[in-house]
Amino acid sequence: MLWRSSEDQDIVDTIRIRLLIAFFLVAFVPLVISDYFLSRKAFENSVDQLSESFSRIHPVAKELGDQMGEIRETLSETFFAPAFLSLPTEKQERLLSQIVASYQGKVRSVYLFDQGGRVLLRVPRDAEPPSFTLLKAFSIGKSFEKEGMLFEEPGKEPEEDLLYQIKTQKQGTRWVLARLDLSQFSQFLRDAGEGEKILFYLVNQRGNSLTSLGHSLVSPPRRSTGGIEVSEIRGFHVVRDYVPIADSQLWLVAEQRLPKGHGSVLLWVCVSVLLGLVGSLLLSRLISKRILLLKEMADQIGGGKLDEPISGFSGNDEIASLARSFEQMRISLKDTLTRYDDSLKTERMLYEKVRQRLEEISTLHRIAISLSSTLSLEEVMQQALREMSQTLKAESGALFLWNESERILTLKEAHGFHKFELSFHPGEGIVGDILVANTPLLIEDIHETTRYSASTLVQRNTRSFLGAPLLFKGKCIGTVELHHPEPHFFKEDALKLFEVMVSSLAMAIDHARLYEEICNNLEQRMVELFTLYDVSQVVSSSLDLHTILNRVLDLILQTLKADAIFVTLVEQGDREIYFDRGIPEDLRKEYLRVLSISKSLTSLNSGVPILLRDVREEPEFAYFYRLTDPVESLGIIPIMIEGKLLGNVGVFFHRTHLFTDEEARLLFFLANQVAIALKNARLYNTAVEEKEKLNSILTGMSDGVITLDKQSRILTFNPAAEKILGWREKEVVGEPFSSVFRCSNEHERFSLENMLQAFSAETKGADHQEFAVEGRDGSEKILSIAFSPLREESGELLGIVAVFRDVSKLKEFEQLKSNFISTVSHELRTPLTSIKGYIATLLHPATKFDVTTQKDFLQIMNREADRLSSLITDLLEVSKIESQKFRMNPQPLDLVKMVTELVEKYREIGTKHRVDVQASESLQVKIDRAQIEYVLHHLLGNAVKYSPKGGTILVEVRGDEGKVYVSVQDQGIGIPFDEQEKIFDRFHRVDNRPTRWAYGWGLGLFIARKVIEAHGGHIWVESALGGGSKFTFTLPRTDIPSPHAEEASSRKRRNVLKSG
Amino acid sequence: MEGNALASEKRAVILVVEDDESISNLLQINLSLAGFEPIMARDGEKAIEIFRDTPVELVLLDLMLPGKDGWEVLAYIQEKSHGQTPVIITSAKTQKADIEKGFQMGVIDYVTKPFDPLDLAEKIKRVLKKGKG
C-alpha cells in the first residue's frame, strides 16, 4: 500500500510527540528516582516499552491497510457485479460475515451503504453504528469524469468554488452532475462532535481523486475503486476502507478502531513521575547540573533540532551513558527523518507526475469525446479551441484554416477575443512561419525573441505563445495557437500536451470536412434526384409538350444556373428553335448557328453531346464570345429517339462553367426526358386520332360492339348494341356480361360462359356463334356473337371485345325461305305426281283402258297441269316483285263490272259454295286489270278453300270519296288475331296447324299486298277464329267529279247481284 | 277394273291415306289393277277410323293431311299394331329430316312424290311377300 505524504506527516507528528514524551521522561526520571528506587533497568525498560508502543502503531496501521487492500480486491471481485444486489439480505449478510471472519478480528465491522449514505447492512449485527457518514456526493453521475476530492475540516466553510467549477465545466457537455447539497453539508459539519476529525471525499467512480486540496489522512486509492481513510476519533485510530459495489449504487465500508495505546503509557508515566518527584529532591544537587544540560539537549531534540550533537558529558556514569544513548538516538532519528524526507520528496514528485499525466490523459480524452460528439466543422473547432485554452490555461487562442484554392490562411475560430477577418500568406508572420516550417512553435517570452513581435499576433499583449500546424496525413490544413500575457507561462511540457491535442484536432477537422463534403455531395445528389424525379413526374403526368418543355427548361436553368437555353426540333430537315429561355430575339439566329457548325453536326448526329467550358478554345464556337452578350460556356445535347436525332437542347452560360459529370448526366437525362415527352406527345396525338376514328366506326356500325374487362364486366357498349338489346350504355357499364346477355336456354348460357372463359388462355378469337339472348324488354333475340381477346404486346389479356348482330330477322327469313321451298316443292310435286302417275298407268303394258277412262285420265292430267302452271305463274309474279321488275299496265275501267264478270266466271267453273256480290252501279278506277283480277281470284280461291262446303262467300264492292273498297268474306275457320298481319308477308302461312289447305296461301297474299300497294291501296283482313274472314282492299277512285255527282250516280246505279 | 280385282283369291287389303283427289284415284286404280284391295282415306281421322275397324295388311300414308297429319296417323298405327303392320310413306316432303323421321318411326319405305304407281305396286308386293315368307 502506498502511503501518502499527508499521512506520513501525521505519523511523523505522532513520532515527534512521543519523542517529546520520551525526552521528558529521560530528563526528569533520573532526577526524581535519585535513590535508585527506580533502578536503571526499570528506567531502560520503560524507555523500551515506550519506543515499542510507539513503533507498534505504525506497523499495525500498515498491516491493516494491506489487509484492507486485500479485502477491497476480494470485495470488488465478489460484489462488483450488480448481481450482489439481487441476493437476499441473509445471503449478503453471510457473505459479509465471512469476510469479517476471514480477517480474524482485524476488521471489526463492515457496513453496506447505499448511494444516499443510508446503512443497509451491519456485520456483525451488533456492531456499533458507523462513526461516519457517506455523503451522496460519493456517487456522482455515470459520466462524471472529473477527478476530485473534497476535504473539509470542521469550522471551515466548504469550498463552494470547487463544486461550482465542476458544475460549470460540465455544462457545455451535457453532463449532469449530481448536486452536492451545500446546506446539508454544512449541517453535517455542525452536527459533528467536537474534536472529531471528519473527512469527506469527492471521488470518481474509478476511485481517482480529483486534486489534492490541503493535507489529510486520506489514502489515495490503489488501482481499484474506493479508498482508505485513517483518522482519529475520540481517542481511536480509525481505519476505514470503502468500496463502491454494484456500479456505485452501494458503498461498502470496513472500519477498524484501534486504541491509541500510548495514552495509558502516558498516564502510567505521569504517576511514576509524580511519585518520583518527592524522593528525587535529595539527589538533585548531585546531578542536577548535568541533568539540566541533558534536558537542554533533549529540549533541543524535542524542538526538532537534531543537528546539534549531544556532547559535554564525560565519564562513565549513568548520565553520560544516557547522553551517549541520546546521541545515538539523535543520530538515528536524524537519519530516519532524512530518509523519510527523501522518500517523501520522491513520492511527492512521482505523485505529481502521475497526477499531471492523468490530467493530460483526461483532458485529451475529454477533447476526443467533445470532438467526436459533433461532426459540424464549426463546432469541432470551437470546442477544441476552448478545451485547449482551458486545459493549458491560455488567455486566448486562435485557429486558422488553410485555403488551398486561394493559398491563404484564414482565421476561423477565436477564443478569448472576437473573431475578425484575418488571413496570412505562407511565411507571413508567426502563423505563416508555422505553416511553412510545419513544426510546432513555443515562444516562452516574445520579448526575448528578435524574430517576432506581439504586434503580428491577434492578441497584442501576448508574451507567451504556443503554436502548431494542423497536420493530417502529412498535409497542413491549418494552424492553432494559444496566447498568454504572462511571459514563460507556456513551457516545454505544455507544448507536448498541446501537440497531442492539435493532432487529434487535425483529425477531427479532417473528419468534419469530409463529413461536410459528403453532406454537400449528398445535398447535390438530392437536388439532382429531386430534379430527375420532378421531370419524370411532369413527363409522366402531362402529355402537353409545352408544359413539359417549360418544366424541363426551368429545371435546367435552376440546377445548372444557366443563362440561356433552347430546345430545337428537327422538322423535315429544318432546325428551328422550338422553345427558349433567355435568348434575345435578335440573337436567336446566332445561337442557332451553333448547330450548323461542322463539329456539332458530326458529333450530335452520332448522339454525342458537346460540352464546352470555354468557347474560345474551339475556333468554330468562338463567335459566341463576340456576341453582344458573350457566351463563355455552352452545352449542346442531342435529343434522340431510337437512334434518330429529333432535336437538341442547348445550354449557354455568360460565365465560365465547367460541366461536371453529374451535370452532363443530368443534361443527358433531361434531353432523354424531352425525347420521351416528344414521343409521348406524338403517340398521344396519334392515339387520340385513332380513338376518334374508332369511335366513329363503333358509333356508326350496325353491329353491336362491346368491350369487356378481364372479369367480363362491360366497359363499353356501342349505339348498335344499345339498339339491339335495348339497354343504354350507362345502364350496363360495369355490369357482368352474363347479366346483360341472358340466355334463356341453359345449354346456350353454359356454352357462352365457357367461350368467354376460354379467352384467358387462348390467343385467338372465336368465330360467330348464335345464341338466343333476352333483350331488355324480355323479347328473345338471336344474336350472332364473336369474341376476340384484347391483348397487350406481352400477350397479357386486357379484356375481350364482343361483336354481335341481331340475326332474329334473318333466322325468321331463313325459316320462311325453307318453308317456302318446301311448300313450293310440295305444290309442284303434287300435280306432277298425278300427271306422271296417270301417264304411267295409261302406259301400263298389261292394261287396256277404254276411251272414256282414258279421257278421264287426260282431263285429270290437264287439270293438274293447269294447277302446275298457275303455281309457276305465282312464282314468277313473286320473283318479279322480289326482283323489282314489277311493272303495271293501268287502264281505266269499271271495277264493279270487272268484279261481277270475274265472279260470273268463277261460278262457271263450278263450285260448291254460294258466291254473292254486293256492288254499286259503277266505280271507275285506273288499274292493271290482270293484276287486280289475280288478287280477286286469289281471295276468292282462299274463301272457297277455307269455307265449309255450301257456305256463302260475299263479295262487296263500294266506294266513297276517293276510294273503292272491295271485300271478300267467307264463313271459314278464321285467322288468329296475331297472325292477321303476318299473312301478307311473303311465304307466311298459318302453320300452327299444317293442314292441307294452308298451302298456297303464302305467295298469293304476299303478291296481293304488293299489287294493291303498287296501286296506291291497302289490303287487310278482319277475322276471328271460327268466325270467318273478311279480306278487304282499297283502290284509288278516279270518277268522282264532286260529292253531289257521286251521290246521284250511286243512287241511280245501285244494283245488287245475287247468285245461287 | 272390277274384274281384275277379283282375279286373286285373297286380295291383300291396303289402306291408302291420300288427300289429293287425283292421286287418290290414281292409287286406287293401280292398286286394284295390281291385285290388292285398296281402302281409301282422305284425311287422318278417317284413316285412323278405318285402321281401327278393319284388318289391313299394309298402309300407304301421305304426310300432309287435313286434320290429323300423317305423323299422327303413323304413330297410331305403330302403336296399335305394335309395329307389325308395314307402312310405306308416299309424300311430297322430300327433306332429309322428314325421311329420317319416317324411318325412325319404323316405316318400311319412304316414297317421294312424284312416283311411278306401277313401281309402287311392285314394291308393295315385295314387302308383303317378304312379310309372309
Side-chain angles (χ1 to χ4, degrees):
Chain A
M1 173 155 246
L2 186 73
W3 286 89
R4 270 259 300 281
S5 60
S6 52
E7 288 170 33
D8 294 352
Q9 194 64 51
D10 249 8
I11 288 168
V12 172
D13 287 348
T14 316
I15 294 166
R16 279 181 182 155
I17 291 163
R18 283 166 199 169
L19 279 174
L20 280 173
I21 295 164
F23 281 120
F24 174 77
L25 289 172
V26 169
F28 290 96
V29 165
L31 288 173
V32 174
I33 314 166
S34 56
D35 57 351
Y36 291 95
F37 184 71
L38 292 169
S39 70
R40 177 181 153 189
K41 203 166 180 90
F43 182 65
E44 277 175 359
N45 277 349
S46 82
V47 170
D48 283 349
Q49 211 176 354
L50 273 176
S51 58
E52 199 189 310
S53 129
F54 140 72
S55 59
R56 209 175 52 218
I57 303 297
H58 190 196
V60 164
K62 196 164 154 44
E63 193 189 346
L64 194 74
D66 286 344
Q67 294 282 3
M68 292 304 281
E70 277 172 43
I71 291 170
R72 200 166 54 234
E73 272 171 31
T74 319
L75 284 180
S76 36
E77 276 161 25
T78 319
F79 304 113
F80 196 70
F84 180 77
L85 279 181
S86 57
L87 291 173
T89 322
E90 298 87 49
K91 190 88 191 250
Q92 291 175 345
E93 213 172 325
R94 206 157 57 237
L95 277 167
L96 295 178
S97 305
Q98 279 169 10
I99 290 159
V100 174
S102 70
Y103 290 96
Q104 296 163 354
K106 281 179 182 163
V107 171
R108 202 184 62 173
S109 46
V110 174
Y111 306 97
L112 187 66
F113 285 86
D114 69 2
Q115 277 180 302
R118 261 194 322 246
V119 181
L120 295 179
L121 269 180
R122 274 192 271 176
V123 176
R125 280 195 188 184
D126 55 357
E128 285 176 47
S131 60
F132 52 89
T133 305
L134 282 173
L135 289 185
K136 217 175 176 177
F138 271 36
S139 56
I140 313 176
K142 272 191 177 179
S143 305
F144 184 45
E145 294 291 330
K146 186 80 181 167
E147 295 175 55
M149 181 172 73
L150 184 66
F151 168 72
E152 267 310 319
E153 278 178 303
K156 201 174 160 192
E157 280 300 303
E159 280 192 40
E160 280 190 45
D161 278 350
L162 178 65
L163 292 170
Y164 178 73
Q165 197 181 348
I166 293 167
K167 265 168 76 182
T168 48
Q169 279 196 350
K170 298 305 150 200
Q171 269 170 356
T173 51
R174 296 192 302 272
W175 290 339
V176 178
L177 178 70
R179 201 168 156 269
L180 183 65
D181 192 334
L182 286 175
S183 65
Q184 274 185 359
F185 197 88
S186 311
Q187 183 62 44
F188 180 77
L189 295 174
R190 270 195 293 281
D191 290 351
E194 206 179 324
E196 264 180 358
K197 195 174 182 184
I198 301 166
L199 305 174
F200 296 96
Y201 319 103
L202 196 58
V203 290
N204 71 3
Q205 280 176 309
R206 292 198 300 274
N208 299 324
S209 52
L210 175 67
T211 45
S212 68
L213 292 165
H215 59 94
S216 71
L217 274 173
V218 170
S219 69
R222 287 211 313 178
R223 57 179 196 278
S224 115
T225 56
I228 289 260
E229 169 208 328
V230 180
S231 62
E232 263 180 53
I233 297 169
R234 291 191 187 101
F236 288 98
H237 280 297
V238 177
V239 180
R240 292 187 200 110
D241 198 350
Y242 53 94
V243 181
I245 57 172
D247 269 343
S248 299
Q249 288 184 57
L250 297 176
W251 291 77
L252 193 67
V253 178
E255 187 179 85
Q256 178 73 356
R257 300 178 192 202
L258 297 171
K260 276 176 126 181
H262 59 270
S264 57
V265 176
L266 188 68
L267 195 69
W268 181 83
V269 170
C270 285
V271 169
S272 313
V273 168
L274 284 172
L275 285 171
L277 270 175
V278 182
S280 67
L281 287 170
L282 290 169
L283 290 168
S284 64
R285 287 216 184 262
L286 184 67
I287 46 171
S288 63
K289 197 182 172 188
R290 294 177 72 192
I291 290 284
L292 274 173
L293 186 63
L294 194 57
K295 178 196 171 269
E296 204 174 300
M297 293 290 177
D299 278 348
Q300 256 179 37
I301 296 173
K305 288 175 189 156
L306 292 172
D307 297 335
E308 211 75 7
I310 298 168
S311 54
F313 295 92
S314 54
N316 256 338
D317 62 356
E318 300 294 331
I319 289 173
S321 102
L322 195 60
R324 276 195 299 277
S325 294
F326 274 176
E327 175 60 15
Q328 276 170 6
M329 202 188 279
R330 182 194 68 84
I331 291 166
S332 82
L333 264 176
K334 197 187 168 189
D335 275 2
T336 311
L337 280 178
T338 314
R339 264 206 312 281
Y340 257 120
D341 272 355
D342 285 352
S343 77
L344 218 59
K345 257 183 209 153
T346 334
E347 285 195 11
R348 215 185 266 274
M349 267 168 64
L350 208 62
Y351 167 74
E352 198 53 41
K353 268 188 184 163
V354 169
R355 194 192 59 79
Q356 215 168 338
R357 196 77 203 131
L358 274 171
E359 203 172 314
E360 280 173 22
I361 290 169
S362 93
T363 306
L364 286 176
H365 178 65
R366 199 171 59 243
I367 289 176
I369 283 177
S370 78
L371 291 183
S372 60
S373 70
T374 175
L375 274 167
S376 147
L377 181 61
E378 209 172 301
E379 265 183 61
V380 164
M381 296 191 298
Q382 202 179 325
Q383 279 187 14
L385 196 61
R386 198 181 56 221
E387 290 284 353
M388 282 185 200
S389 306
Q390 276 176 6
T391 308
L392 295 172
K393 300 189 173 58
E395 197 80 338
S396 56
L399 194 152
F400 293 83
L401 281 188
W402 174 243
N403 186 332
E404 185 66 49
S405 58
E406 291 176 33
R407 305 200 56 78
I408 204 167
L409 272 169
T410 317
L411 177 64
K412 286 287 177 191
E413 201 53 54
H415 177 78
F417 65 97
H418 286 289
K419 196 171 85 179
F420 56 97
E421 278 200 20
L422 179 66
S423 36
F424 292 103
H425 290 284
E428 192 182 330
I430 304 181
V431 179
D433 273 1
I434 292 172
L435 177 78
V436 172
N438 231 356
T439 49
L441 176 66
L442 166 68
I443 303 171
E444 291 197 16
D445 187 355
I446 209 153
H447 291 175
E448 289 170 7
T449 66
T450 48
R451 188 174 161 80
Y452 305 114
S453 77
S455 59
T456 60
L457 289 170
V458 285
Q459 288 292 82
R460 298 285 155 91
N461 61 351
T462 302
R463 290 289 295 274
S464 205
F465 175 91
L466 259 182
L470 284 163
L471 289 170
F472 188 74
K473 289 179 184 165
K475 218 178 87 189
C476 181
I477 55 171
T479 65
V480 195
E481 56 186 56
L482 295 178
H483 326 110
H484 205 276
E486 231 175 79
H488 302 289
F489 184 80
F490 299 123
K491 294 223 165 58
E492 206 57 43
D493 57 338
L495 180 66
K496 271 186 194 137
L497 185 58
F498 181 61
E499 266 184 82
V500 178
M501 290 192 287
V502 167
S503 76
S504 73
L505 170 63
M507 193 153 68
I509 287 178
D510 194 74
H511 284 177
R513 272 183 167 178
L514 202 65
Y515 174 74
E516 271 182 14
E517 201 178 308
I518 288 167
C519 282
N520 286 342
N521 261 346
L522 256 178
E523 208 170 313
Q524 177 77 21
R525 265 305 132 80
M526 288 303 281
V527 168
E528 253 178 62
L529 269 178
F530 274 118
T531 309
L532 302 187
Y533 174 74
D534 251 24
V535 172
S536 318
Q537 231 6 41
V538 172
V539 169
S540 59
S541 67
S542 169
L543 281 164
D544 179 38
L545 197 55
H546 258 253
T547 315
I548 294 167
L549 288 178
N550 253 326
R551 191 82 189 97
V552 170
L553 294 200
D554 277 350
L555 281 165
I556 295 177
L557 287 175
Q558 274 170 24
T559 318
L560 268 63
K561 299 187 176 58
D563 298 303
I565 190 162
F566 70 54
V567 172
T568 68
L569 294 181
V570 183
E571 296 272 357
Q572 280 122 32
D574 291 339
R575 287 171 194 272
E576 267 182 29
I577 292 185
Y578 183 76
F579 226 77
D580 77 274
R581 289 285 169 80
I583 297 178
E585 192 67 37
D586 51 329
L587 289 179
R588 295 176 118 225
K589 276 208 162 56
E590 295 296 325
Y591 273 80
L592 202 55
R593 239 173 75 195
V594 74
L595 295 176
S596 48
I597 290 171
S598 62
K599 190 186 175 211
S600 302
L601 284 174
T602 43
S603 79
L604 290 178
N605 276 325
S606 52
V608 180
I610 292 174
L611 300 171
L612 281 181
R613 195 176 72 92
D614 189 345
V615 292
R616 284 165 292 184
E617 286 173 6
E618 294 274 345
E620 278 186 301
F621 296 92
Y623 75 89
F624 264 102
Y625 194 68
R626 296 192 292 272
L627 295 179
T628 43
D629 203 356
V631 168
E632 282 195 36
S633 300
L634 60 83
I636 312 287
I637 300 95
I639 301 173
M640 310 276 289
I641 285 182
E642 287 145 12
K644 216 182 109 199
L645 185 72
L646 289 190
N648 308 98
V649 176
V651 197
F652 304 89
F653 297 85
H654 294 317
R655 62 193 148 80
T656 310
H657 181 86
L658 178 64
F659 291 92
T660 63
D661 284 353
E662 280 78 20
E663 284 173 355
R665 266 209 305 277
L666 182 68
L667 278 172
F668 235 147
F669 173 82
L670 292 174
N672 259 337
Q673 292 296 313
V674 172
I676 292 166
L678 274 169
K679 194 178 167 188
N680 282 350
R682 284 177 187 180
L683 277 177
Y684 177 71
N685 286 340
T686 319
V688 166
E689 277 169 31
E690 289 297 318
K691 190 170 181 251
E692 272 163 15
K693 263 189 225 166
L694 194 65
N695 260 350
S696 62
I697 291 170
L698 282 180
T699 314
M701 74 191 292
S702 60
D703 279 1
V705 179
I706 61 168
T707 50
L708 308 173
D709 65 11
K710 276 192 276 189
Q711 281 76 41
S712 304
R713 282 188 302 253
I714 293 169
L715 294 173
T716 66
F717 204 75
N718 79 336
E722 286 182 340
K723 204 176 148 198
I724 293 169
L725 287 166
W727 297 99
R728 311 296 303 172
E729 184 174 20
K730 61 181 180 213
E731 291 172 326
V732 295
V733 164
E735 293 294 318
F737 177 78
S738 56
S739 74
V740 176
F741 288 75
R742 290 175 301 202
C743 287
S744 41
N745 180 320
E746 192 72 33
H747 175 72
E748 281 188 9
R749 181 161 66 228
F750 186 69
S751 73
L752 187 60
E753 278 165 17
N754 269 358
M755 243 170 109
L756 262 179
Q757 274 172 6
F759 283 117
S760 28
E762 284 173 28
T763 42
K764 57 181 177 21
D767 285 341
H768 276 272
Q769 279 195 31
E770 281 163 17
F771 297 97
V773 171
E774 259 180 43
R776 190 190 187 189
D777 56 2
S779 65
E780 196 175 83
K781 314 257 179 190
I782 294 166
L783 301 185
S784 170
I785 308 178
F787 294 102
S788 44
L790 271 179
R791 288 184 189 280
E792 275 188 297
E793 276 176 36
S794 62
E796 202 197 328
L797 189 73
L798 286 177
I800 295 162
V801 180
V803 181
F804 60 94
R805 62 178 63 145
D806 185 359
V807 293
S808 312
K809 281 266 153 46
L810 198 69
K811 282 272 135 186
E812 211 174 316
F813 175 74
E814 274 171 8
Q815 187 59 45
L816 285 177
K817 208 162 113 186
S818 154
N819 284 346
F820 169 72
I821 289 164
S822 139
T823 306
V824 166
S825 159
H826 187 273
E827 290 299 291
L828 288 171
R829 278 165 195 272
T830 305
L832 210 57
T833 309
S834 292
I835 294 166
K836 219 183 151 225
Y838 279 101
I839 291 171
T841 310
L842 280 172
L843 291 176
H844 197 290
T847 317
K848 289 266 185 281
F849 295 97
D850 54 44
V851 179
T852 325
T853 311
Q854 283 178 11
K855 201 178 174 185
D856 277 352
F857 281 9
L858 286 172
Q859 260 177 1
I860 293 169
M861 282 154 69
N862 187 40
R863 200 174 67 224
E864 291 301 323
D866 282 351
R867 192 168 143 194
L868 206 56
S869 127
S870 95
L871 191 70
I872 289 164
T873 314
D874 275 5
L875 282 171
L876 286 172
E877 284 298 321
V878 170
S879 86
K880 261 197 257 171
I881 290 166
E882 285 293 289
S883 63
Q884 307 289 318
K885 284 175 190 164
F886 188 59
R887 292 275 178 278
M888 283 206 302
N889 183 20
Q891 284 165 343
L893 55 83
D894 181 358
L895 185 68
V896 175
K897 191 167 165 241
M898 194 203 88
V899 171
T900 315
E901 281 172 12
L902 191 90
V903 170
E904 210 56 51
K905 225 186 260 173
Y906 218 80
R907 284 187 193 128
E908 273 171 24
I909 297 166
T911 171
K912 287 163 187 163
H913 298 82
R914 189 182 131 153
V915 184
D916 288 349
V917 178
Q918 234 177 351
S920 38
E921 256 176 36
S922 159
L923 291 165
Q924 285 299 316
V925 287
K926 194 177 177 187
I927 54 169
D928 184 314
R929 184 183 177 117
Q931 285 181 3
I932 299 299
E933 270 187 356
Y934 174 89
V935 174
L936 265 176
H937 189 77
H938 191 81
L939 290 180
L940 280 170
N942 278 347
V944 167
K945 237 186 243 176
Y946 302 135
S947 291
K949 281 173 189 167
T952 305
I953 294 162
L954 179 62
V955 179
E956 199 181 355
V957 185
R958 58 182 180 88
D960 65 11
E961 293 148 40
K963 272 187 221 162
V964 292
Y965 295 84
V966 181
S967 58
V968 178
Q969 192 173 1
D970 64 42
Q971 294 173 325
I973 52 170
I975 300 162
F977 181 75
D978 54 350
E979 297 284 340
Q980 287 175 13
E981 268 297 305
K982 293 181 182 172
I983 57 171
F984 294 100
D985 287 344
R986 188 174 55 157
F987 312 128
H988 187 83
R989 62 189 167 90
V990 186
D991 63 352
N992 53 343
R993 290 179 63 198
T995 50
R996 174 65 188 86
W997 48 260
Y999 303 101
W1001 268 48
L1003 286 177
L1005 285 175
F1006 173 69
I1007 296 166
R1009 196 188 84 192
K1010 289 285 174 188
V1011 168
I1012 299 300
E1013 281 174 1
H1015 280 83
H1018 290 290
I1019 182 164
W1020 68 91
V1021 66
E1022 295 157 76
S1023 177
L1025 267 183
S1029 306
K1030 184 184 181 186
F1031 286 87
T1032 309
F1033 64 84
T1034 62
L1035 290 169
R1037 195 174 168 180
T1038 54
D1039 62 341
I1040 309 293
S1042 69
H1044 297 286
E1046 153 62 21
E1047 210 175 292
S1049 73
S1050 86
R1051 229 184 293 126
K1052 200 169 78 189
R1053 291 178 191 173
R1054 186 157 298 176
N1055 177 29
V1056 175
L1057 289 171
K1058 284 196 177 171
S1059 160
Chain B
M1 264 167 46
E2 297 296 309
N4 279 347
L6 291 168
S8 175
E9 268 186 31
K10 187 159 184 336
R11 296 160 74 91
V13 180
I14 312 272
L15 172 58
V16 179
V17 191
E18 174 58 63
D19 69 328
D20 189 273
E21 195 183 345
S22 308
I23 298 171
S24 183
N25 286 339
L26 179 74
L27 285 170
Q28 193 173 21
I29 291 163
N30 276 290
L31 290 176
S32 300
L33 282 174
F36 299 114
E37 191 181 320
I39 305 176
M40 312 310 289
R42 294 288 294 277
D43 59 48
E45 279 84 3
K46 185 75 182 167
I48 287 169
E49 193 188 313
I50 293 169
F51 191 83
R52 191 181 64 213
D53 301 340
T54 317
V56 169
E57 276 167 75
L58 189 139
V59 182
L60 279 184
L61 181 64
D62 188 12
L63 288 176
M64 300 224 189
L65 302 167
K68 285 199 165 106
D69 71 4
W71 298 118
E72 284 173 86
V73 176
L74 176 61
Y76 177 81
I77 290 169
Q78 298 294 59
E79 197 210 330
K80 181 85 183 166
S81 73
H82 306 291
Q84 295 303 305
T85 308
V87 179
I88 295 174
I89 287 176
T90 53
S91 175
K93 283 189 153 197
T94 55
Q95 275 155 323
K96 205 180 161 193
D98 292 319
I99 296 170
E100 276 175 4
K101 186 179 175 186
F103 280 110
Q104 260 174 24
M105 287 181 76
V107 301
I108 290 288
D109 209 342
Y110 192 110
V111 178
T112 55
K113 292 175 181 175
F115 54 79
D116 186 324
L118 304 178
D119 287 350
L120 183 64
E122 285 303 312
K123 196 171 266 179
I124 293 167
K125 269 182 194 165
R126 278 200 304 277
V127 168
L128 288 177
K129 204 171 169 183
K130 201 178 168 188
K132 273 172 189 164

